[in-house]
Amino acid sequence: MKERTGIERLVKYLFEHQETLLSPKAEQAARMCILDEIGCGIYGSRTREGRNLIQAAADLKYCGDIPVWGTQNLLTEDMAAMVNGALCHIRELDDVHYAILHTGAVCVPAAMAVAQRCGSTWRQLLGAVITGVEVSVRIAEGMDFLEHRERGWHGTATCGSFGAAAAAGMLLGLDEQQMTNALGIAGSRTGGSWAFAADGAMTKRIHPGLAARDGILSAYLAKHGITGPRHVLEAADGGIYRMMSSRYCLGVLDAVKEKTAIEEVEFKWFASCKSVHSPYTAAYEIYRRHGFREPEDICTVRAEVNRSAIEMAGSNYRQDSIVSAQISIPYGVALGLMGCRGQAGDYTEERLRDSRILETAGKVVVAESEAMNRLRRNEKRSAAKVTVHWKDGSSDTETVTAPKGSMFNPLSQEDITGKFMDLTGGIVGEHVAREIADTVLKSSNMENTHRITDILKRQI
């Protein structure tokens, strides 16, 4: 008997462990994931970047019947998934996994688009989201995902298309061979670089959407007999693991774990890159003890973080780029020291022009810490230590290892629901927002998902 390839091992695991994957805890986490992503997407639809994305899709004439959340626009499955995925990620409020992945912004839009087309039940939709997240995470964990990021890759883009293909494939009823082909197709053209950080470009926003779109296309191609490379991960010539990481382990792909990947997903409280959350929180705690101090009173600020955090968010921001602020530890530390709450309202063009933030951020030195490196590798904690020295000779230090929203300090269902209402109530109205939340959280597994689609299709 021939040895199974990495993708074949992963697909076999998915089909043999469906009941385990669809545990009550995983299904509840999937409901939280769906609600959170819809909220982020509706909020994103009202941003300038969001409106531009929607207009681009309209210009391309991708008319269909899948709703763009928070709008009256209806697009085809693949384009709706692309736009909704991008909208989810526009303000960095969408969920994140410690393997440096934004799983929900990829898997939820893809699954919901295909679920509408297939007339799926809630159990089928939840199962698709759970499976998609599981695949994305296992693909990432099969390689050194920290090194993958340090090489310049964006894991949400490189691993996300696999997850979207798996989510769509489950809803389309693909068999094992077809699913293997779907993942092979997705992997054969996946990609996405971190180059946006150099100038604050908007491509980071669209990476989840592009992965969602490509995953759907891969699943449909596989359903109709198009084959994909079975060795897409480990092939000597062109295997993505060999290209994207110096080491990998196929055993992770079918290893039995204590909990599903979706149960490890962190729902964000702050509107920034995860690497900013601990430095921001540390700075905010210093603010709480000392109150606001003018930038000219500050001598130096030192933020100690792990190496990966420096790679992702160690640079200062550009006043003309919200993206650059959301992936900037100096900007986040400045927000914290000024007593700002780190929410979406702190990442606007007006706030970026605040001279006090700019002056404070300019005094922040971001440094690599071996202690923080150990916490990141050994405990999966993205921690930070912030020290402020003032010109009057005083100083203070704060270390944060579990910022709000991390898996060590997770949001409750009430937190996630409250976040959803805050993001959407002013856009769709409190009544509709509550109806969406109740439908996502309370629909029985055997109910059809058409109701949530009908609500999202209503004119706003």
Side-chain angles (χ1 to χ4, degrees):
M1 181 179 178
K2 65 179 181 179
E3 184 177 355
R4 291 190 178 90
T5 68
I7 287 295
E8 289 173 330
R9 291 172 65 170
L10 175 56
V11 170
K12 184 174 178 59
Y13 177 88
L14 295 178
F15 278 78
E16 290 183 348
H17 292 82
Q18 272 300 294
E19 289 303 314
T20 303
L21 290 172
L22 298 181
S23 69
K25 285 186 178 180
E27 289 185 347
Q28 182 62 18
R31 289 181 186 270
M32 294 292 98
C33 183
I34 293 169
L35 182 66
D36 194 58
E37 295 303 333
I38 292 175
C40 293
I42 290 174
Y43 186 84
S45 73
R46 291 304 191 269
T47 63
R48 177 173 57 84
E49 305 101 301
R51 292 193 296 270
N52 291 345
L53 280 166
I54 294 165
Q55 185 59 55
D59 286 353
L60 287 167
K61 309 298 183 185
Y62 278 91
C63 300
D65 59 357
I66 309 297
V68 174
W69 305 335
T71 78
Q72 299 176 32
N73 297 75
L74 299 174
L75 301 174
T76 58
E77 285 168 79
D78 56 342
M79 187 55 70
M82 195 285 281
V83 173
N84 285 329
L87 295 180
C88 289
H89 197 48
I90 272 182
R91 283 297 174 263
E92 288 283 348
L93 281 161
D94 53 310
D95 66 53
V96 64
H97 188 275
Y98 64 73
I100 319 181
L101 303 174
H102 294 273
T103 52
V106 178
C107 297
V108 171
M112 288 189 65
V114 178
Q116 178 181 337
R117 178 73 64 220
C118 296
S120 305
T121 65
W122 271 96
R123 180 172 176 79
Q124 290 169 325
L125 173 60
L126 296 174
V129 172
I130 292 166
T131 300
V133 172
E134 192 74 26
V135 167
S136 295
V137 169
R138 284 177 181 259
I139 292 289
E141 290 186 324
M143 57 183 158
D144 185 336
F145 54 80
L146 292 175
E147 187 209 19
H148 180 65
R149 167 60 202 93
E150 290 163 8
R151 283 188 173 205
W153 295 106
H154 185 198
T156 300
T158 58
C159 303
S161 59
F162 288 98
M170 294 302 293
L171 292 166
L172 291 173
L174 301 190
D175 60 27
E176 286 191 41
Q177 184 58 53
Q178 291 171 322
M179 185 68 86
T180 299
N181 284 326
L183 298 190
I185 295 168
S188 69
R189 51 87 43 234
T190 192
S193 80
W194 203 264
F196 54 79
D199 55 7
M202 296 181 187
T203 48
K204 186 176 193 292
R205 315 297 203 202
I206 63 174
H207 282 175
L210 292 174
R213 179 203 64 184
D214 292 347
I216 290 176
L217 179 59
S218 298
Y220 271 99
L221 288 170
K223 179 181 179 180
H224 291 282
I226 305 301
T227 61
R230 296 183 298 109
H231 297 269
V232 70
L233 297 178
E234 71 275 26
D237 185 5
I240 68 166
Y241 274 179
R242 293 178 180 271
M243 292 190 293
M244 296 180 173
S245 177
S246 63
R247 51 191 174 274
Y248 63 90
C249 176
L250 299 181
V252 174
L253 299 171
D254 57 0
V256 177
K257 299 182 178 181
E258 291 184 4
K259 61 172 61 175
T260 59
I262 201 166
E263 294 173 70
E264 300 170 329
V265 163
E266 301 176 347
F267 298 102
K268 284 188 174 182
W269 191 247
F270 306 110
S272 57
C273 173
K274 177 182 174 180
S275 295
V276 179
H277 293 194
S278 286
Y280 160 79
T281 303
Y284 186 75
E285 288 302 311
I286 291 173
Y287 159 80
R288 290 183 62 186
R289 290 198 287 269
H290 298 272
F292 173 71
R293 306 280 288 269
E294 292 291 343
E296 56 264 31
D297 294 334
I298 298 172
C299 183
T300 61
V301 183
R302 181 179 176 85
E304 298 176 47
V305 297
N306 65 75
R307 179 181 176 184
S308 179
I310 293 177
E311 293 285 342
M312 285 191 284
S315 301
N316 211 334
Y317 70 105
R318 294 164 51 108
Q319 287 184 285
D320 62 350
S321 170
I322 293 174
V323 175
S324 72
Q326 291 177 310
I327 57 172
S328 172
I329 290 172
Y331 184 86
V333 169
L335 287 181
L337 292 177
M338 292 184 64
C340 301
R341 303 307 295 263
Q343 302 298 301
D346 291 320
Y347 292 88
T348 62
E349 286 90 349
E350 181 181 6
R351 188 57 61 88
L352 265 62
R353 292 191 295 268
D354 189 322
S355 61
R356 297 174 304 169
I357 295 178
L358 183 64
E359 186 177 352
T360 303
K363 297 184 178 185
V364 178
V365 175
V366 184
E368 182 177 352
S369 162
E370 283 306 315
M372 301 305 157
N373 283 338
R374 288 192 294 272
L375 285 171
R376 184 67 175 93
R377 282 207 171 269
N378 300 335
E379 299 183 27
K380 303 181 177 66
R381 292 178 183 267
S382 185
K385 177 181 178 181
V386 173
T387 303
V388 182
H389 292 277
W390 289 282
K391 291 182 179 178
D392 63 7
S394 61
S395 64
D396 197 5
T397 298
E398 180 68 27
T399 299
V400 172
T401 62
K404 186 169 183 176
S406 72
M407 63 181 176
F408 308 100
N409 184 14
L411 301 189
S412 64
Q413 179 173 317
E414 290 72 25
D415 286 331
I416 295 170
T417 304
K419 172 186 170 183
F420 174 83
M421 296 299 294
D422 288 343
L423 290 175
T424 64
I427 297 173
V428 301
E430 293 289 327
H431 175 75
V432 173
R434 178 58 61 186
E435 188 177 9
I436 293 172
D438 287 345
T439 301
V440 172
L441 298 178
K442 298 178 181 179
S443 293
S444 74
N445 280 358
M446 299 314 297
E447 283 184 60
N448 194 284
T449 55
H450 281 160
R451 176 171 169 73
I452 187 62
T453 303
D454 290 342
I455 299 171
L456 293 170
K457 274 186 177 181
R458 291 178 190 166
Q459 291 190 358
I460 296 171

